[in-house]
Amino acid sequence: MHELSIAISIVDIASRQAEAASADRVSEVELDIGVLSGIAYESLEFALGVAAKETILEETLFRINRVEPVAECPDCNHLYTPDGIFSHCPVCNKQGIRLIRGTELQIKSLLVEQND
Ligand SMILES: [Zn+2]
């Protein structure tokens, strides 16, 4: 399962950052996942729960932001929401888009806690 290997690397990165911050718990991890990233959101949510078991992220709330795609026309630089990777620019009708958002897969923020 594709999403499980992604979840494992997210948990791995977040764990290392939490350790570097001397955290005892990670209360929340916020993720930006583009709708064109090829990730199935429900599968990723499930996989994160599996990957986080018996780690510092076991109790962590994973918040997944769906990032809608934004394309920039290579000719007229118009920004628009593409309906696919073969969209036409609504201003000059040029086909062939440059996606500037919508394929990301990144950890946006990490909320950690320390014992007093
Ligand atoms: Zn255009």
Side-chain angles (χ1 to χ4, degrees):
M1 190 165 101
H2 181 51
E3 281 76 10
L4 185 57
S5 59
I6 291 165
I8 289 169
S9 56
I10 289 170
V11 167
D12 188 49
I13 292 165
S15 303
R16 276 188 275 128
Q17 295 207 354
E19 268 170 43
S22 307
D24 295 300
R25 281 176 306 282
V26 179
S27 42
E28 194 180 293
V29 172
E30 192 175 0
L31 303 165
D32 278 348
I33 311 286
V35 299
L36 299 179
S37 63
I39 307 294
Y41 291 90
E42 293 76 14
S43 304
L44 181 62
E45 261 174 43
F46 175 77
L48 282 167
V50 173
K53 277 229 158 48
E54 289 167 28
T55 73
I56 192 172
L57 281 85
E58 183 149 21
E59 305 289 315
T60 301
L61 170 70
F62 290 98
R63 290 211 320 195
I64 300 177
N65 302 322
R66 291 172 186 250
V67 181
E68 295 299 325
V70 175
E72 182 177 28
C73 175
D75 270 12
C76 72
N77 298 329
H78 179 64
L79 296 178
Y80 63 101
T81 304
D83 51 17
I85 55 169
F86 300 110
S87 290
H88 291 258
C89 171
V91 172
C92 70
N93 206 33
K94 162 94 179 174
Q95 190 187 15
I97 63 173
R98 194 148 51 104
L99 277 175
I100 57 173
R101 286 180 62 183
T103 58
E104 51 274 89
L105 197 174
Q106 61 193 24
I107 297 176
K108 189 182 183 192
S109 67
L110 201 69
L111 216 65
V112 298
E113 287 173 36
Q114 278 173 308
N115 291 334
D116 296 325

